[in-house]
Amino acid sequence: MPNYEYDKDYPFAAFITNLGKYNEGALVGEWVKFPTTAEDLQQVFERIGIGSEDDFGNPYEEWFITDYDCYVDGLYDKLGEYVSLDELNYLASKLNEMNQSEYEQFQAAVDMGDHTDSLQDLINLTDNLDCYSVYPDITDYDDLGRYYLEDLSTMNIPEWLENYIDYEAYGRDIAYDEDGQLTDYGYVRNTGSTFHDYYDGDLENIPEEYRVMSVTDEETPERLTVLVVEPQKEPYIKEIDSGLQALQSEVNGYIQAIYPYEDPVAIVCNEEGKHLGMELNRALRDEDGDIYDVVAGTYLVVGLGDDDFVSLTPEQIQKYAELFKQPEQFINLNGKLIVLPMEPENPLRTAEMTIEDDYGMIDGVINNGRRDEADKTSIRDKLDGAKQKSSERKPTKVMRTKCDTIEFDDL
């Protein structure tokens, strides 16, 4: 096992949160150190209420990650809210299996920025360290130039000539020629070896010893992971049955599927939403940003398979949660529909302001910055303090920004 920052014996921990409770205004979650086991994770789910029922008998099934404690330099920004726990555990296990030399090589490669766009990339990076050579003693171009001329070159340079050689310029040219880079871990260059994608991103292909989520029984009806977009609210993920009845239940009526994007995704909405007078939700815009339609009522963003709807991928969830993150307000003014962005009411904003270490990042994700190691206040104590200030929360307000308009006859 390598030496992680702050002498930790694990690479990172994630704060796993009950999404249903979060949407009700309660922060119910728990820190989980990775790598973990399926048994330990199941106990965490039970403690935070995953599988229990709400006041109406509906089970709490969804979770997401509100924060990370990361002790691998450069990795924090690569981890997201809606990632696979199996992939997280896979990466953490691969890191734990490294020796110190391999770990430093991995950190240098991450600092270089190659193959770091997703968890799949990072997992594959752990098996492709032979693609990178690291020179920890080379900290600048002058060091690099001297290393190549004095240590690697076969010619002897007279002392009187050394003062006339621009080692820094020579080192810069070397780095340019071999696509090398100076990092916090020394000089890194690509060896030219082929980078292999051993892990293809299919969760079913994660080796069994790294998986922590229960394998779906073959007789269990297939479930869909979708994005739910309600009027005046931010989107949230939800797992639903794959049948027609479940889709109709979510949109409160007969469904209509529209395909406004090049990605294999669809918007599933109520086909009579406008005629039934449902609340206008989000505007749809073309590639130039012009509005061509408005969706009424709650709708879903679902993935598209060969013959039917499928679950969204983590990347699709991230993309369309960001696309529809801003709720919109619609105003009829002289026959024109004015579309204004509006700020959703967030029942946990006060709690976040109490818990957040970095007060410049009040954005719905708890503790964006690195947590202070000395801060031992429990989440329960912080939430108790937040409740005392909840009365100060301001009502939802319309943001004074540029608005869009569309003729009513166009809808």
Side-chain angles (χ1 to χ4, degrees), residues 177-225:
D177 289 341
E178 60 186 17
D179 196 24
Q181 186 173 323
L182 292 170
T183 72
D184 291 339
Y185 305 93
Y187 177 69
V188 186
R189 70 177 183 87
N190 195 307
T191 64
S193 298
T194 302
F195 192 99
H196 298 282
D197 290 321
Y198 296 107
Y199 170 53
D200 60 4
D202 186 345
L203 299 181
E204 294 297 323
N205 292 331
I206 294 177
E208 190 67 31
E209 63 266 27
Y210 301 125
R211 297 171 68 177
V212 291
M213 298 298 288
S214 299
V215 179
T216 303
D217 190 277
E218 292 182 358
E219 297 181 359
T220 301
E222 184 180 353
R223 309 265 298 169
L224 298 180
T225 300

Side-chain angles (χ1 to χ4, degrees), residues 102-144:
E102 291 171 333
Y103 177 64
E104 292 173 357
Q105 198 171 0
F106 173 82
Q107 286 192 295
V110 170
D111 202 12
M112 193 175 184
D114 281 352
H115 303 283
T116 59
D117 292 335
S118 66
L119 280 178
Q120 178 185 344
D121 285 343
L122 291 166
I123 291 168
N124 281 317
L125 182 59
T126 65
D127 288 321
N128 285 274
L129 297 180
D130 60 318
C131 292
Y132 303 92
S133 290
V134 183
Y135 304 85
D137 295 331
I138 297 177
T139 60
D140 55 35
Y141 290 123
D142 185 86
D143 289 343
L144 182 61

